[in-house]
Amino acid sequence: MNCSQLAAQLVDVPFEANPATDGRLVGFIGRRRNVSKAMSFADLYTPSGQVFQILSRSDTDSDLHEKFRSLKYHVPIYVEVQQAQEEGPESSQANDSVFVVKDIQPFNSMPDDVIVSRDAVFPPSKRHLQIRFHNDLKARLEFRSWLKGVLSERLRKKGFTDIETPTLFKTTSEGAREFLVPTRQQGTAYALSQSPQQYKQALIASGVMRYMQWARCYRDEDARTDRQPEFTQLDMEWAFAGAAKVQEDVNDIVLGALSALRPAHSYKDTRNGRVPVVSAIANAPPPSEDEPPAHRFTSIKFAESIARYGSDKPDLRIPGRIHAIPDLEEFRNFASMITHHSDPLIEVFCFRLDDCPPERARRFVADFMKNLPHTLANNPDGTPQVLVSDWSKPLGGFSSLGHNYDKVINLVTEGGEELNDGDLVVFQAREKLVGQYCSGSTKIGEIRSRLWKALVEEDLMKTPRLGEPGSLQFVWVTEFPMFKPSEEGEPNQGTAGLSACHHPFTAPLTQADFELLDTNPLQAKSAAYDLVLNGVEIGGGSQRIHLADVQTYIMEHVLKITPNKTKEFSHLFDALRTGCPPHAGFALGFDRLVALMTDTSTVRDVIAFPKTMKGEDLFVGSPSKVDDAQLRPYGLAKLRS
C-alpha cells in the first residue's frame, strides 16, 4: 500500500459520549447474533466498562446492514446510534437499552487466524490476547489495581509520604544474588535494587516520620512459581515505632481493604478459580450485622508455630495441630520401627476424612507415600508413618502402638470426638533439639501441609472457597531466631558461618538477646515479624537497629563481615549516627498477596507481562543477545570458547 491508501484507513477517534443524548459510541464489537437476514444484534464493549446492545436492520439501510454483518468479531469500531424500541436477545451481557446503528466505521481489523471462543487458550507470546480474552486474567489485573488504590488511600490517611528511591543501586553483601548493570565507566556497575532497605532507613534518619513506596525490586533467584526476577512490594517504614505499631497499622489497612471488598458478594467463579470482580464490589448491597467475615487475624510466636504446625508459615485453614508424644516409654517398640534415634521426639497429628471407608483411605495413603519427594520419604530422621483408623482391625488399626494406643488417640483428638473409620493418624520422628530451632519447617509440618492439599484435591477433606467464612487466614508470626547456620549455596553475609534469618539490619528482641550475641548468637531472638496468609508469607519486617555502633558490632563481630565489605554500608552508618530515631518497617509482597486473594498458585497470573521460570519474557523476547559493538563501551567482551 502507498501512503494515500494507508491514510484512508485512519479514522478520527471521537470522545466517548452518552448514546442516548449524543448518539455516538466507541468500543469493541462482540459476537453477532443474527435474528434473521433482516435483523442482527451485537454487544458493544465500551471504554467505560458498560456494555450496550446495538441493532442493525436491512429495512433501514441495506448497505449499512451488510457492512454490519460483514464486520469481524472483536474489532474496535465507531458507531452512530439512536434509541430503539426493540428488546435485545436474552443471551446478551448488555443492559436493557438497545440502540439502532445509523453509521459504523471500524478502526482496525482482526486476523483470520485469531480464533476466539469460550475455551480459547493463547500462548504466552500472545499475552495481549490472553489479557483481552481470558476474563479471569483481566479480572485479576483489575482487582490488583483496585487493591493498590485502596491500600494507598488508607496509608495516605495515616500520614504516610510516598517517596521513590533509586532502582540503580550498588552491589552489597545484603542477601540474594543481584542483577548488575554495567556503566561506561569501565570496571564499574550498578546493582538493581533488591529492596529499598537502606534508603528507607536513611529517610527515617532524614526526618521522614512515615514512609511508603510501591517499590520495584530485583533478585536473581532460582525459578519458583511464586517468584519473579522483578516484583512489586508495598514498602513502609515508621519512625518512633516498634512491632506493635507496625502490626496495628498493617492490620488496619488490610482490614479496611477486606471491608471494602465484601468477599461474600464480590467473589465470582471463573474458568480458572474464584476471583473478586471489581464491578461487583461497587454494586454489593450494604453489609448486614450477621454477615460472617471471610477473614481472620491472629498472632503466634515462631517457636509455638513450629511446635503446633511444623512451619513458620502456618496455614490455619488446616484443621487440628501437631502434638509431641510426651512420654515414649510405653511406645519404645513403635519408635524403633520408625526411626533410628535412640531418644527421639515423636510428633503426631490426625486428619478426619469425609465419609471415607478404610479401604479407600489405605489406597490413598499408598499412592500418597509413593509420590512423596525423596527429602520426606527417606529423610534422615525416618520414614513418616500413617495409620488408618479401622475398627474392624485389632485395636482399631493401631496395634503397632500397643495396648496403650488410646493415649495417643486422646492426645491427637485432644480428648474430643472419637476417630471414625478411615481417619488418618500420622507420625514422624526427629532428633531432640538442644536450644532454639532455627529452620523454617519440620518434616512433619511439610508432610501435614502436603497431605492436606492432596486430601482436599481428592475431596476427602473440605476447605472454604474464597469469599466464604474462614477462607482468608492471616497470621502474624513473631519472635524469630536472629541467626541461623548458613546453608550450602546460600549467600553468606560473613565468615562466621551464620546468616541473618531476616536481614542484618534487624534489632535483637530484648537486651538479653543482644547479650547472647557475644556468647551464643544462635539462641538470640529478633524483633522480626512475618505476615502469613493461608500458609504463604505475604510480608515481613522488623524493628531496625538505629544505633550505628550496634549495627557495626553485629556486622563485624557476630557475622564477621570483612572490613572491605563493611565499608559498603558507610553511608548507612553515617545516617544512623546523625540522630536517627528508633524505627521499624514492613514490606508487603503485593504480587503474592494478589495471587492468593484471586485463587491462583502463580504470581504470573497477576502480572501483566510476567517472566517464565527461566526468567524470559516470551511476549517481547527478552533477555536478548548482545553483540561486541554493544559491549565495547562498557569494557566488556564475550568469553570465547
Side-chain angles (χ1 to χ4, degrees):
M1 291 186 182
N2 59 34
C3 185
S4 298
Q5 291 172 319
L6 291 171
Q9 297 186 44
L10 298 177
V11 179
D12 290 335
V13 181
F15 291 110
E16 184 181 14
N18 186 330
T21 57
D22 301 277
R24 295 180 297 146
L25 282 171
V26 292
F28 289 108
I29 190 169
R31 189 171 293 275
R32 189 175 60 255
R33 298 175 296 281
N34 296 324
V35 178
S36 66
K37 289 184 177 180
M39 181 182 293
S40 298
F41 289 87
D43 290 343
L44 185 69
Y45 299 85
T46 66
S48 66
Q50 291 181 288
V51 183
F52 294 101
Q53 290 189 77
I54 54 176
L55 162 66
S56 175
R57 293 191 301 233
S58 63
D59 58 357
T60 303
D61 187 328
S62 59
D63 290 339
L64 180 62
H65 184 64
E66 185 61 30
K67 184 177 182 180
F68 180 85
R69 289 170 67 99
S70 68
L71 283 176
K72 292 184 176 180
Y73 304 145
H74 312 298
V75 299
I77 65 169
Y78 162 68
V79 60
E80 295 179 5
V81 296
Q82 69 179 29
Q83 189 85 39
Q85 301 302 316
E86 292 90 339
E87 293 184 358
E90 293 183 358
S91 60
S92 172
Q93 301 178 36
N95 57 29
D96 295 334
S97 299
V98 178
F99 296 92
V100 177
V101 175
K102 304 300 291 181
D103 190 20
I104 193 166
Q105 181 67 45
F107 291 116
N108 209 332
S109 62
M110 179 68 77
D112 293 332
D113 60 352
V114 175
I115 309 299
V116 179
S117 67
R118 183 179 183 85
D119 300 318
V121 177
F122 300 100
S125 59
K126 305 294 183 184
R127 186 66 170 180
H128 59 298
L129 296 179
Q130 290 182 345
I131 294 172
R132 185 168 167 193
F133 296 116
H134 293 181
N135 290 334
D136 53 326
L137 176 56
K138 185 181 293 184
R140 287 186 172 102
L141 293 176
E142 289 173 350
F143 171 72
R144 178 188 177 111
S145 174
W146 176 88
L147 183 60
K148 183 177 181 180
V150 171
L151 296 176
S152 295
E153 178 61 17
R154 295 193 71 84
L155 284 171
R156 187 190 65 79
K157 289 181 178 179
K158 288 183 174 292
F160 281 75
T161 303
D162 190 343
I163 300 177
E164 297 175 351
T165 58
T167 294
L168 293 174
F169 187 45
K170 70 173 187 175
T171 182
T172 68
S173 308
E174 200 173 327
R177 286 190 299 268
E178 299 162 316
F179 287 104
L180 297 181
V181 182
T183 76
R184 291 194 301 274
Q185 300 177 33
Q186 295 186 9
T188 67
Y190 296 106
L192 294 181
S193 175
Q194 296 185 40
S195 159
Q197 182 63 46
Q198 296 179 49
Y199 282 121
K200 63 184 178 182
Q201 288 192 251
L203 286 169
I204 296 296
S206 305
V208 176
M209 295 296 183
R210 297 288 185 269
Y211 146 90
M212 67 160 287
Q213 178 184 186
W214 291 96
R216 296 291 288 173
C217 303
Y218 306 84
R219 295 178 188 173
D220 188 8
E221 296 182 309
D222 295 331
R224 281 167 43 182
T225 55
D226 62 342
R227 296 283 176 93
Q228 287 277 290
E230 56 178 318
F231 56 94
T232 301
Q233 67 184 36
L234 175 53
D235 215 45
M236 294 161 278
E237 202 79 8
W238 290 252
F240 299 101
K245 177 59 177 174
V246 171
Q247 292 169 34
E248 175 189 332
D249 279 355
V250 172
N251 284 355
D252 187 60
I253 65 169
V254 174
L255 284 169
L258 291 171
S259 177
L261 175 61
R262 302 290 308 286
H265 299 278
S266 60
Y267 273 92
K268 308 295 180 184
D269 290 316
T270 71
R271 69 176 185 177
N272 287 315
R274 298 262 294 169
V275 181
V277 176
V278 171
S279 60
I281 298 173
N283 298 326
S288 60
E289 292 184 0
D290 59 349
E291 182 178 308
H295 62 271
R296 175 175 175 242
F297 271 80
T298 189
S299 180
I300 189 171
K301 295 177 182 179
F302 170 86
E304 184 184 359
S305 185
I306 291 294
R308 293 175 65 93
Y309 308 114
S311 174
D312 64 355
K313 304 173 186 62
D315 188 343
L316 297 192
R317 296 173 303 171
I318 305 176
R321 55 157 294 184
I322 296 167
H323 295 266
I325 298 178
D327 185 359
L328 285 181
E329 195 57 42
E330 297 173 285
F331 307 104
R332 288 290 175 189
N333 187 55
F334 176 76
S336 67
M337 290 189 293
I338 68 172
T339 183
H340 63 85
H341 295 307
S342 59
D343 187 25
L345 173 68
I346 294 184
E347 295 171 300
V348 56
F349 68 89
C350 73
F351 278 155
R352 299 178 184 274
L353 274 53
D354 294 333
D355 192 24
C356 180
E359 295 79 10
R360 184 184 177 191
R362 279 190 280 270
R363 288 196 302 270
F364 171 85
V365 169
D367 289 341
F368 175 79
M369 295 297 289
K370 184 173 63 177
N371 293 308
L372 269 184
H374 178 79
T375 55
L376 293 178
N378 299 298
N379 74 76
D381 292 318
T383 303
Q385 181 76 23
V386 184
L387 301 183
V388 179
S389 177
D390 184 353
W391 292 105
S392 70
K393 302 289 184 181
L395 303 182
F398 302 109
S399 57
S400 57
L401 289 171
H403 288 282
N404 292 313
Y405 74 94
D406 56 322
K407 292 184 178 180
V408 174
I409 302 306
N410 286 334
L411 177 68
V412 295
T413 60
E414 298 182 349
E417 185 179 343
E418 290 187 355
L419 294 179
N420 296 318
D421 279 354
D423 292 345
L424 306 182
V425 181
V426 183
F427 300 82
Q428 174 66 60
R430 62 180 166 115
E431 193 173 7
K432 284 184 177 177
L433 185 70
V434 177
Q436 181 171 236
Y437 192 83
C438 296
S439 298
S441 65
T442 61
K443 296 302 181 186
I444 196 168
E446 295 171 28
I447 292 165
R448 179 172 176 265
S449 176
R450 183 179 289 268
L451 178 60
W452 177 75
K453 290 174 182 176
L455 288 166
V456 168
E457 190 172 324
E458 289 293 319
D459 206 27
L460 295 175
M461 291 185 75
K462 296 290 191 295
T463 187
R465 301 194 311 159
L466 282 175
E468 295 176 347
S471 59
L472 297 169
Q473 295 281 350
F474 294 87
V475 188
W476 283 104
V477 183
T478 63
E479 298 190 13
F480 281 83
M482 193 157 183
F483 300 105
K484 62 181 180 178
S486 294
E487 299 175 7
E488 186 177 352
E490 183 180 32
N492 197 341
Q493 293 153 335
T495 60
L498 302 175
S499 294
C501 288
H502 275 67
H503 54 60
F505 312 110
T506 298
L509 182 64
T510 66
Q511 184 174 342
D513 290 296
F514 180 78
E515 291 172 355
L516 280 170
L517 300 182
D518 194 39
T519 58
N520 198 350
L522 286 175
Q523 299 311 309
K525 293 181 174 65
S526 70
Y529 35 82
D530 282 351
L531 182 59
V532 175
L533 171 59
N534 293 352
V536 178
E537 178 194 336
I538 58 169
S542 66
Q543 186 168 330
R544 317 303 191 192
I545 298 169
H546 72 284
L547 299 174
D549 290 344
V550 174
Q551 185 68 77
T552 303
Y553 177 84
I554 287 175
M555 288 185 168
E556 293 183 351
H557 296 281
V558 180
L559 291 171
K560 298 191 184 303
I561 295 176
T562 63
N564 285 340
K565 290 290 185 181
T566 304
K567 287 180 181 178
E568 296 173 358
F569 303 96
S570 59
H571 55 280
L572 178 61
F573 299 151
D574 288 344
L576 296 180
R577 286 192 183 95
T578 54
C580 182
H583 57 287
F586 184 77
L588 186 68
F590 191 60
D591 304 320
R592 207 174 300 175
L593 173 63
V594 175
L596 287 168
M597 294 186 69
T598 59
D599 204 13
T600 176
S601 61
T602 171
V603 296
R604 292 194 294 273
D605 288 343
V606 299
I607 298 172
F609 298 98
K611 304 289 190 295
T612 66
M613 295 280 284
K614 294 181 179 179
E616 299 171 334
D617 183 337
L618 298 181
F619 177 70
V620 300
S622 68
S624 55
K625 293 184 177 181
V626 293
D627 56 32
D628 291 337
Q630 291 172 293
L631 293 172
R632 196 172 297 117
Y634 303 99
L636 301 174
K638 296 178 184 178
L639 289 174
R640 307 297 179 184
S641 56

